[in-house]
């Protein structure tokens, strides 16, 4: 059960599918979709956290944030420490060292914002539409993060419990979407 949870986490965060495919019987294409969806969701979370208007900027900017998401996720730290069974329910305890997103991106983000604001003061964006202005801001932030976010800042280790629910109909154990979202929040701490 620990291997199952680690396999799911490896597929979601690291793009490593072997264990997940072995345990679930999934094809690689299916496993890749899980990873890509998680990367895209994290990229959108980053855009929101950094005041980039995802609904205004082009796909290219979001793709830049997806590359940053891959860099950040490639450095997540977790390991299973315990399993407790109660009836048909298994609870896996994981030790997670959360990445502190705000601290990790603070310097390159602030530098990008300062440069962008200076350009705005100098009139570099005069005559730009709102969409062009937002696009320029999104590109500036994404480029700064892509260039300078290499080392992660970690918060203190925490223990996270993941409950596997038994699906009698399909005779398998599952991690609910709510459990995965809670795990996402613990693996990379993005809130203020």
């Amino acid at each position: 059960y620990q291997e199952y949870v680690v396999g799911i986490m490896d597929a979601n965060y690291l793009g490593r599918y072997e264990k997940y495919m072995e345990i679930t019987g999934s094809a690689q294409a299916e496993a890749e979709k899980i990873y890509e969806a998680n990367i895209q969701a994290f990229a959108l979370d980053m855009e929101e956290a950094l005041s980039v208007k995802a609904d205004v900027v082009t796909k290219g900017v979001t793709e830049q944030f997806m590359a940053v998401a891959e860099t950040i996720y490639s450095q997540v730290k977790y390991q299973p420490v315990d399993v407790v069974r109660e009836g048909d329910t298994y609870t896996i305890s994981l030790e997670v060292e959360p990445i502190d997103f705000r601290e990790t991106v603070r310097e390159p983000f602030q530098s990008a914002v300062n440069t962008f604001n200076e350009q705005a003061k100098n009139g570099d964006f005069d005559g730009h539409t709102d969409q062009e202005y937002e696009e320029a801001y999104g590109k500036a932030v994404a480029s700064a993060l892509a260039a300078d976010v290499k080392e992660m800042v970690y918060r203190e280790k925490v223990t996270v419990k993941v409950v596997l629910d038994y699906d009698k109909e399909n005779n398998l154990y599952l991690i609910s979407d709510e459990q995965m979202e809670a795990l996402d929040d613990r693996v990379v701490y993005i809130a203020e």
Side-chain angles (χ1 to χ4, degrees), residues 64-84:
Q64 285 181 282
F65 275 98
M66 288 174 68
V68 174
E70 287 181 21
T71 298
I72 292 173
Y73 271 170
S74 73
Q75 297 178 62
V76 298
K77 295 181 181 181
Y78 51 84
Q79 65 181 20
V81 291
D82 190 29
V83 178
V84 175

Side-chain angles (χ1 to χ4, degrees), residues 4 88-91 162-168 172-179:
Y4 173 69
D88 282 343
T89 303
Y90 286 87
T91 302
V162 177
V163 178
L164 297 181
D165 298 318
Y166 182 62
D167 177 356
K168 288 181 183 175
L172 54 91
Y173 283 89
L174 302 169
I175 297 177
S176 69
D177 290 342
E178 294 81 16
Q179 289 270 310

Side-chain angles (χ1 to χ4, degrees), residues 115-166:
T115 301
F116 185 81
N117 287 341
E118 194 61 37
Q119 290 174 317
K121 268 199 309 194
N122 293 335
D124 291 4
F125 305 115
D126 292 356
H128 279 57
T129 65
D130 288 348
Q131 195 277 332
E132 290 168 334
Y133 181 84
E134 293 298 334
E135 180 76 5
Y137 173 75
K139 281 182 181 177
V141 171
S143 295
L145 298 188
D148 292 329
V149 172
K150 304 283 187 271
E151 287 190 38
M152 303 300 112
V153 176
Y154 294 91
R155 297 172 74 94
E156 193 172 313
K157 289 179 185 176
V158 294
T159 300
V160 179
K161 295 186 185 297
V162 177
V163 178
L164 297 181
D165 298 318
Y166 182 62

